[in-house]
Amino acid sequence: MAIDRLFKIFVPKDTTFFPLFEEDAQNLVAISSLFKQMINLEDPNLRVPFFSKIKDAEHVGDDITHKIFEKLNKTFITPFDREDIHTLTSTIDDVADFINKASQRIKLYKPKRFTPEMLKITQIISDACAEIHKAIGELRNLKNPEKINESCIQINSFENQADDLYHFAISELFDKEKDPVELIKLKEILETLEKATDKAEDVADVLRTIIIKAA
Amino acid sequence: MAIDRLFKIFVPKDTTFFPLFEEDAQNLVAISSLFKQMINLEDPNLRVPFFSKIKDAEHVGDDITHKIFEKLNKTFITPFDREDIHTLTSTIDDVADFINKASQRIKLYKPKRFTPEMLKITQIISDACAEIHKAIGELRNLKNPEKINESCIQINSFENQADDLYHFAISELFDKEKDPVELIKLKEILETLEKATDKAEDVADVLRTIIIKAA
Amino acid sequence: MAIDRLFKIFVPKDTTFFPLFEEDAQNLVAISSLFKQMINLEDPNLRVPFFSKIKDAEHVGDDITHKIFEKLNKTFITPFDREDIHTLTSTIDDVADFINKASQRIKLYKPKRFTPEMLKITQIISDACAEIHKAIGELRNLKNPEKINESCIQINSFENQADDLYHFAISELFDKEKDPVELIKLKEILETLEKATDKAEDVADVLRTIIIKAA
């Protein structure tokens, strides 16, 4: 580790990671946008094509993840610590995974209704993905980390809002939903959405680690 | 890695991690104690203030976790391997998270009853957290690892007991609980409690790794 | 890291990891075989002895995992990157854990029936474990990675098949199973089986990383 740090002073860093990070974040924005369109459709039949579109976009994300990992294994000098590149890529992948998982659950469970909190948390996920995209775009310029930091604060605030909505929705379900199968469906879809916002917060955490180390 | 090990012979190790570890373990004991008080209250209304107290204590734990991670990123020579400090801190955080999650589920689900095994597993969690606290207090003195080892053996035994109780309780629920919504509630609270004891075992695992490496 | 790579040229690598990897993979094949025998028995009473046999085999796997981790902590030069040995061992352990978890759920939940997809996914898990065993046997010879690569492709294809079966089974359950408690039981057993195939794919991912780095 010590030796790596000495090297870093003299050897130019490989900067070609950035286009891959940006592509990954852009794809995440696309996934969250497809999900938002799908969940806001009134007619369940119109939702059907979105399930496979979201799944396909999630596979595109997997491919980008693999490209970054392969590059990491072959690159000697990285723009920031290897473990942070690994965590950043994995956590972005996790957000995409949970959005796709929520989509698959809606497809398979065919719930009779959505709760209002589901639509609100979906909007929050979409906003959090936009902030991730914005922050990733600033990673090239670590000397000026203020914008990344602002995005991280935003993402944390989104996670808190989603958490409150999730708790309220679960409490309502257990109070009012009398059909246990419908309760299971809605509860599990809500859980997956809430986990997507948790993972967005994990992205913010690793971005913060990256700017602290670069300070 | 090799070079790091050479360095370690000549450079004094930063020992200021220990007060943070101890604060973290102390806070974990506090969380488990609050949870035990809450779950043993007969009147559900009296439980209410505990849910936010436990959540607040879990946030205190998050802050200590972040302090340790920041310190880790800025410290050149650590008292033991960086990855083990990372895992130790994360797993303590995980125990706190699952206790808080169990508390939040009790708050949101409002189960009509607790099973006797829930109270017994809660006692085990509390005992495991006390052992973690004891072992962490011994980390300053790695030349005499016997006490840490004894705590690890205790924690493993606690995990086995909790596992047996959990299995018995789940089996009973599926045999006897006729209300499916009540079954879901109790099952998920039990699962979260059992995961807290799993995570305590993960703490014991990393403590054991630390004393093996120091041997 | 850089220095480690220089060292690797001059210092003979410790090859005694391989018997442990092979023992671990062999044990995984045994676990998957026990599970397959159990789930194919018509009479629930005949299943009982298998639950503890599977659990015992999973504990044997834990012991092998611990041996590999201890060896890793004490070994200076490893046959491939330490982190990959760690991930390989952990993911094999995860596959075993999920098979045991499925077994424990069948024991505790006592479902009235299995779905046809459960038996099919069980066969896939067993085939995936056989491929893992085959690939691990080829790790000694990284100059000829073609066979490992073929096993990885097979495991990925198994995971896709299991995923489709899982989705179909869950969709069927929510359409047709009218007893909510029976639905919970079957759904959770299916989820655990599907996770076992996910973890087998994670084993394939790390095997692929190992052969890419060795190329």
Side-chain angles (χ1 to χ4, degrees):
Chain A
M1 189 68 81
I3 293 298
D4 269 24
R5 287 189 187 167
L6 281 178
F7 266 107
K8 279 178 188 168
I9 302 169
F10 302 112
V11 185
K13 290 177 187 179
D14 186 329
T15 56
T16 55
F17 276 97
F18 295 119
L20 285 170
F21 294 150
E22 284 156 13
E23 199 187 335
D24 207 15
Q26 182 62 55
N27 186 58
L28 182 62
V29 168
I31 294 171
S32 68
S33 162
L34 286 165
F35 187 85
K36 192 170 81 175
Q37 289 172 63
M38 179 276 287
I39 208 168
N40 280 293
L41 290 166
E42 296 281 320
D43 177 355
N45 294 318
L46 293 179
R47 287 180 210 140
V48 176
F50 284 86
F51 301 131
S52 55
K53 276 186 204 168
I54 292 167
K55 197 180 174 182
D56 291 347
E58 198 262 335
H59 283 163
V60 170
D62 283 346
D63 289 342
I64 303 169
T65 300
H66 283 127
K67 267 190 217 163
I68 296 173
F69 286 172
E70 274 196 41
K71 194 172 174 58
L72 199 56
N73 288 333
K74 290 176 174 168
T75 306
F76 194 69
I77 306 290
T78 51
F80 30 88
D81 276 1
R82 318 179 76 80
E83 72 205 55
D84 296 329
I85 294 180
H86 199 282
T87 308
L88 178 64
T89 312
S90 301
T91 51
I92 290 174
D93 191 50
D94 289 341
V95 180
D97 271 0
F98 277 108
I99 298 174
N100 180 46
K101 202 168 179 181
S103 160
Q104 292 297 311
R105 286 187 163 175
I106 292 170
K107 175 187 168 196
L108 298 173
Y109 296 180
K110 300 181 195 74
K112 286 177 194 152
R113 60 176 178 111
F114 294 134
T115 74
E117 295 79 24
M118 281 179 185
L119 304 185
K120 288 180 194 163
I121 298 176
T122 297
Q123 181 61 49
I124 287 173
I125 291 171
S126 166
D127 292 345
C129 292
E131 285 298 333
I132 289 172
H133 184 237
K134 218 159 81 181
I136 297 275
E138 297 293 327
L139 274 181
R140 291 173 190 261
N141 183 17
L142 281 180
K143 299 283 159 240
N144 183 8
E146 201 38 56
K147 285 185 180 170
I148 296 177
N149 198 39
E150 277 166 27
S151 289
C152 293
I153 292 169
Q154 273 297 329
I155 294 165
N156 278 13
S157 150
F158 290 147
E159 198 276 333
N160 285 334
Q161 292 167 40
D163 210 45
D164 288 345
L165 286 163
Y166 166 73
H167 281 103
F168 178 78
I170 292 289
S171 185
E172 284 282 295
L173 270 186
F174 276 109
D175 268 2
K176 295 178 186 165
E177 178 59 63
K178 296 303 161 203
D179 177 347
V181 174
E182 218 47 37
L183 184 144
I184 294 170
K185 292 176 181 176
L186 295 173
K187 176 177 156 295
E188 296 210 349
I189 295 165
L190 275 162
E191 281 170 359
T192 317
L193 292 174
E194 199 265 336
K195 274 188 190 156
T197 66
D198 271 1
K199 293 297 174 180
E201 195 177 32
D202 290 347
V203 176
D205 284 346
V206 64
L207 288 170
R208 212 174 261 128
T209 300
I210 290 168
I211 60 179
I212 288 169
K213 285 187 185 173
Chain B
M1 189 67 83
I3 293 298
D4 270 24
R5 287 191 186 165
L6 281 178
F7 265 108
K8 280 178 187 167
I9 302 168
F10 302 112
V11 185
K13 288 177 188 182
D14 186 329
T15 56
T16 55
F17 276 97
F18 295 119
L20 285 170
F21 294 150
E22 284 157 13
E23 199 187 334
D24 206 15
Q26 182 61 57
N27 187 58
L28 182 62
V29 168
I31 293 172
S32 69
S33 163
L34 286 166
F35 187 85
K36 193 170 81 175
Q37 288 173 63
M38 179 275 289
I39 207 168
N40 281 294
L41 290 167
E42 295 281 321
D43 177 357
N45 294 318
L46 293 178
R47 287 180 210 139
V48 176
F50 283 87
F51 302 131
S52 55
K53 276 186 204 168
I54 292 167
K55 198 180 172 180
D56 291 348
E58 197 260 336
H59 284 162
V60 170
D62 283 346
D63 289 343
I64 303 170
T65 300
H66 283 126
K67 266 189 218 164
I68 296 174
F69 286 172
E70 274 197 41
K71 193 173 175 58
L72 199 56
N73 287 333
K74 290 176 174 169
T75 306
F76 194 68
I77 305 291
T78 52
F80 30 87
D81 276 2
R82 316 180 76 80
E83 73 206 56
D84 296 329
I85 294 180
H86 199 282
T87 308
L88 178 65
T89 312
S90 301
T91 51
I92 291 175
D93 191 49
D94 288 341
V95 180
D97 271 0
F98 277 107
I99 298 174
N100 180 47
K101 202 167 179 182
S103 160
Q104 292 296 311
R105 285 187 165 175
I106 293 170
K107 175 188 169 194
L108 299 173
Y109 296 180
K110 299 181 194 75
K112 286 178 194 153
R113 59 176 179 110
F114 295 134
T115 73
E117 295 78 22
M118 281 180 185
L119 305 184
K120 288 181 196 163
I121 298 176
T122 297
Q123 181 60 49
I124 288 174
I125 291 170
S126 167
D127 292 344
C129 291
E131 284 299 333
I132 289 171
H133 184 237
K134 218 158 80 178
I136 296 277
E138 297 294 327
L139 274 181
R140 291 173 190 260
N141 183 18
L142 282 180
K143 298 284 159 239
N144 184 7
E146 202 38 56
K147 285 185 181 171
I148 295 177
N149 199 39
E150 277 166 27
S151 289
C152 292
I153 292 169
Q154 274 297 330
I155 294 166
N156 278 12
S157 150
F158 289 148
E159 199 276 333
N160 285 334
Q161 292 167 38
D163 211 45
D164 288 345
L165 286 163
Y166 166 74
H167 281 103
F168 178 79
I170 292 289
S171 185
E172 285 281 296
L173 270 186
F174 276 109
D175 269 2
K176 295 179 186 165
E177 178 59 64
K178 296 302 161 202
D179 177 349
V181 174
E182 218 47 35
L183 182 143
I184 294 169
K185 291 175 181 178
L186 295 172
K187 176 177 156 294
E188 296 208 349
I189 295 165
L190 276 163
E191 282 170 358
T192 317
L193 292 174
E194 198 266 336
K195 275 187 190 157
T197 66
D198 270 0
K199 293 297 174 179
E201 195 177 33
D202 289 347
V203 176
D205 284 345
V206 64
L207 288 170
R208 212 173 263 128
T209 301
I210 289 168
I211 60 179
I212 288 169
K213 285 187 186 173
Chain C
M1 189 68 84
I3 293 298
D4 269 24
R5 288 191 185 165
L6 282 179
F7 266 108
K8 280 179 187 167
I9 302 169
F10 301 111
V11 185
K13 289 179 189 181
D14 186 330
T15 56
T16 55
F17 276 97
F18 295 119
L20 285 170
F21 294 151
E22 284 156 13
E23 199 187 335
D24 207 15
Q26 182 61 55
N27 187 58
L28 182 62
V29 168
I31 293 172
S32 69
S33 162
L34 286 166
F35 187 85
K36 193 170 81 175
Q37 289 173 63
M38 179 275 288
I39 208 168
N40 281 293
L41 290 168
E42 296 281 321
D43 177 356
N45 295 318
L46 294 179
R47 288 181 209 139
V48 176
F50 283 87
F51 301 131
S52 56
K53 276 187 204 167
I54 292 166
K55 197 179 173 183
D56 290 347
E58 197 261 336
H59 284 162
V60 170
D62 283 346
D63 289 343
I64 303 170
T65 300
H66 283 126
K67 266 190 217 163
I68 296 173
F69 286 172
E70 274 196 43
K71 194 173 173 58
L72 199 55
N73 289 333
K74 290 176 175 169
T75 306
F76 195 69
I77 305 291
T78 52
F80 30 88
D81 276 1
R82 317 179 76 80
E83 72 206 55
D84 296 329
I85 294 180
H86 199 282
T87 308
L88 178 64
T89 313
S90 302
T91 51
I92 290 174
D93 192 49
D94 288 342
V95 180
D97 271 1
F98 277 108
I99 297 174
N100 180 47
K101 203 168 178 181
S103 160
Q104 292 296 312
R105 285 188 165 176
I106 292 170
K107 175 187 169 194
L108 298 174
Y109 296 0
K110 300 181 195 74
K112 286 178 194 152
R113 60 178 179 108
F114 295 133
T115 74
E117 295 80 21
M118 281 179 186
L119 304 184
K120 288 181 195 162
I121 298 176
T122 297
Q123 181 61 50
I124 287 174
I125 291 170
S126 167
D127 292 344
C129 292
E131 284 299 331
I132 289 171
H133 184 238
K134 218 158 81 180
I136 296 275
E138 296 294 328
L139 275 181
R140 291 174 190 260
N141 183 18
L142 282 180
K143 298 286 159 239
N144 184 7
E146 201 39 55
K147 284 186 181 172
I148 295 177
N149 199 39
E150 277 166 27
S151 290
C152 292
I153 292 169
Q154 273 297 330
I155 294 166
N156 278 12
S157 149
F158 290 148
E159 198 277 334
N160 285 334
Q161 292 167 39
D163 210 45
D164 288 345
L165 286 163
Y166 166 74
H167 281 102
F168 178 78
I170 292 287
S171 184
E172 284 282 296
L173 271 186
F174 276 109
D175 269 2
K176 295 178 186 164
E177 178 58 65
K178 296 303 161 203
D179 177 348
V181 175
E182 218 48 36
L183 183 144
I184 293 169
K185 291 175 181 177
L186 295 172
K187 176 176 155 296
E188 296 210 349
I189 295 166
L190 276 163
E191 282 170 358
T192 317
L193 292 173
E194 198 266 337
K195 275 187 189 157
T197 65
D198 270 1
K199 293 297 175 180
E201 195 177 33
D202 290 347
V203 176
D205 284 346
V206 65
L207 288 169
R208 213 174 262 128
T209 300
I210 291 168
I211 60 180
I212 289 169
K213 285 186 186 175

